[in-house]
Amino acid sequence: MKLLLFLALLIGSCRAFEFIIEGEWESEDSEYHNERFRRNVLTSEEEEFEAIKGDDITVKSYKVESRITSRFVHTTVKSSVVNSGPSAQSIGFNVQIPKRAFITNFTMNVNGITFIGSVKEKTVARNLYAQARARGKAAGIVRANSQAMETFKTEVHVPAGSNVEFELHYQEMMHRKLGFYEHVLHLQPGRLVPVLQVDVYIFEPKGIAFVEAPNTLGEHFVDLIKVTHTKDKAHVVFKPTLQQQRKCHNCTETAVDGVFTVKYDVAREGNAGELQVSDGHFVHFFAPNNLSPLSKNIVFVIDVSGSMWGLKMKQTVEAMKAILDDLTMDDYFSIIDFNHNVRCWNEDLVPASSIQVEDAKKYIQNIKPNGGTNINEALLKAVQMLVKASNQGLINPRSVSMIILVSDGDPTVGEIKLSAIQKNVKRLMREDFSLFSLGIGFDVDFDFLERLAIENRGVAQRIYANHDAAEQLRAFYSQVSSPLLRKITIQFPDEAVTDVTQNHFDKFFSGSELVVAGKLQLSDLTALQSFTTASAATMELSLQTETELQELDTLLSQQQHSFNGFARQMWAYITVNQLLAERSLAPTAPKKRRITQRILNLAVEHQFVTPLTALLVESEGGQERLLADSPKDPKQGCCPAAALGGRTPSQVLYSIPPWAPMPTSIPQTPSPVVRPLPEHITIVENDPHFIVHLPKNNMDVCFNIDSKPGHILSLVSDPGTGVAINGQLVGAKKMRDNKLNTYFGTITVSHKPTGVRVDVGTTQIDVTEGKNNHSFSWADTATLLLNRVNIEIMKEQKVIVTIDGKITVMVLLHGAWKKHPINVDFLGFYAPSDNQYSSVAHGLIGQFTEEPEVRVFDLHDGADPEKKEATMEVKGQKLAVTRGWQKDYRRDKKRGSSVYCWFVHNSGKGFIEGHYTDYIVPRLDSFLTMA
């Protein structure tokens, strides 16, 4: 925002201030959508930007500090200036800030007179200002546009020798795009500064995956930006000396002129998200990865009116060619171009085959812009195209359908009333369709495009008509080109939370992040849980995570450069932005007034300069006052929806869909369904020890398999049901007693009829269905519902796979101390005896579906007095067996419970069919073939 403060300060017998406020103010009762609003615009090329303005002044210092805590940023810009000229003059202090940021304070000290800022409702601030109007003058609001920044400007007129100190504070939430967060600071001091320093402190409680500060200031400053970081903290510092700032060795001009950029991402343990609690508030960050993308159905709607002639059209064509090349064979698409007429490249959605893509690129290349702009008819045609494809069954119910509109102007042909176009589009759009609007340049009514997108579950973005417009178009498409989830709902126990921000989202795109915040209610709970449900490419997904209530506050109190109030401010930041978006769509004046009041209350409480509040800057005695207003009212589109893929904000407290395996009535601390453990079960544990339960004989028989690391053993091979269960062995770190122990490091469950394969490893769980791949970590608690296959993941404990409700297996995770000289992480396998395999099932475990007759006799003392010995008769053979015990770790993973069994020696020889080496298979999804 470009906030301009001008203060004329006359030191002497009197100080007189007069304020002049420029800009248009909205009436609460106005029907905004029937109005057209125009702003005077200054582009970044039309003015020379300098942080400090004035002749014959000395800038003693210019310091910028950003504290980023859990993606929330508090930035402070300070400057100390002296009027070293012979006479009074105006000194300017200018700061470019991100458009998404809210100014929270501005203070100024002029020769010992301190002006302190406070955020107030505009009418209150104006009344206070009016009381002092005769005492001075200060000035107004001008808007300047650059791609991501707006400008705060202050001027103070001071006598010679005056000392002035400026300090500006602003806050913003970082938005993840394409897999990382980016923090940008504009550094344009306009002159050499003896003390110029930038510090960016990052604290991410769960850890930092990477942090980098690319040199975006130019070759002059190579190696001057220093980055240090630990597991959860980072510090980026830029502190050039006076000599290093010079453009050349003897130059008096500064080379510091540009953007200072810090990029980073956080370490994520799993797909369930990161839940943080601090200062009576909570924030849930949700950014899953390693999921197969959903297929897309896209209608590109491109403005080819006369105003697109030249560079705009050339860059649009260039971008569209790259976008079309990015489509996959699973995607469907078409192209509509419009001026005063509407044309279709193809009347129907078609698969994005290489032939169709090449034909579409030729069509785009031959477009010649001319004529007027018929947005209404073009959009209605696009919606009808998606509806037709859906009605004809061409659209996969799990796919994502979207319209991408690219336009540079207002409607001039057909329906030109903006509110009527909005109503027409909204009436035809289905709930599972989204509209994304891209406005090129400043001739387009971007506010209209933004309302159009927000109303239809999309977002709008302005594309700046300069040399890199094609790259801007491609970058936007990259953000929406890989949808991973649909219909995401993040829920919390309703007795634990209140004032929850938007927690239902239409889509989640790869590389982005969904954020939900709220307040904690007073309760006896010591932990907070979240439950996330979503639809993925081939399955319904349910995830759960929890966090301790006091843990983060304790950690924050130990950090020197963290922002301790981040959760409270982030909740307010998200809430205010969502209310501004709701206000822009309010259908009636009374509803708009109610939303306005909520915004005012929050903005004043949390000290945010919004379109409805003003920053009143006054001296300590309140005798001199300055007024700064936000330049843009929400009806002019200040605020987008919550995130890419968002919808008009909605809140859903705990409401579990019927397919999610969670309680329908929510207990005090919700938890997944706990099934009773079968009393008798077949087990494979440790090195690996097999315990086969024989229900007809009412006994358990044990044997070990002594094989080699890397070997894959067939546990169940059942062509009749299409189920194959195999385990791959890993070795201990080194030998013990001249023997290398082996364990199962991976267990794979494959169901051939559905193409579902579950690979359970010691570090992650991979789920494959056909060509779709999804990965989860052991940090997740999740339920996955696929076609005929259900998968439950219990955090750091076990995975349960159920096929057709007839076959269930459980894989238990055993973690070893990472520094143990011998032990490694390994897996245990458990299967109930009543699994319904077919009669042709085989494998080390599957062969006992047809239970053999077993007789144990000749019981006698053995070499070990605690272990009896006997003879077992099975399959016509007599085997020497020993009475012993193995461990069942289902109830107690540390100690286990003893299962008494008859132990068959020599890797089960005589009890299993053939030799154990007959059960080695080539791949983890192989069926067994025995000679």
Side-chain angles (χ1 to χ4, degrees), residues 37 71 95 259 449 451 740:
F37 182 89
R71 292 79 140 176
V95 180
V259 295
L449 294 183
R451 291 195 300 270
L740 183 67

Side-chain angles (χ1 to χ4, degrees), residues 368-444:
K368 305 297 182 187
N370 66 85
T373 307
N374 192 345
I375 291 179
N376 183 69
E377 188 179 340
L379 287 176
L380 296 185
K381 180 66 177 176
V383 178
Q384 290 162 359
M385 192 178 289
L386 288 175
V387 170
K388 179 182 177 183
S390 179
N391 292 342
Q392 292 177 344
L394 292 177
I395 291 180
N396 182 336
R398 290 188 174 275
S399 63
V400 168
S401 298
M402 62 179 79
I403 297 168
I404 297 181
L405 168 67
V406 181
S407 179
D408 78 329
D410 292 341
T412 60
V413 177
E415 179 59 73
I416 61 172
K417 190 177 180 181
L418 302 185
S419 60
I421 297 174
Q422 280 181 248
K423 291 176 182 177
N424 292 341
V425 174
K426 186 171 178 61
R427 186 176 64 251
L428 288 185
M429 285 283 281
R430 292 187 177 178
E431 278 294 314
D432 49 350
F433 298 167
S434 295
L435 170 62
F436 297 90
S437 303
L438 299 175
I440 300 180
F442 294 101
D443 294 329
V444 66

Side-chain angles (χ1 to χ4, degrees), residues 92 325 346 525 558 870:
D325 282 334
N346 196 306
L525 296 178
Q558 301 167 357

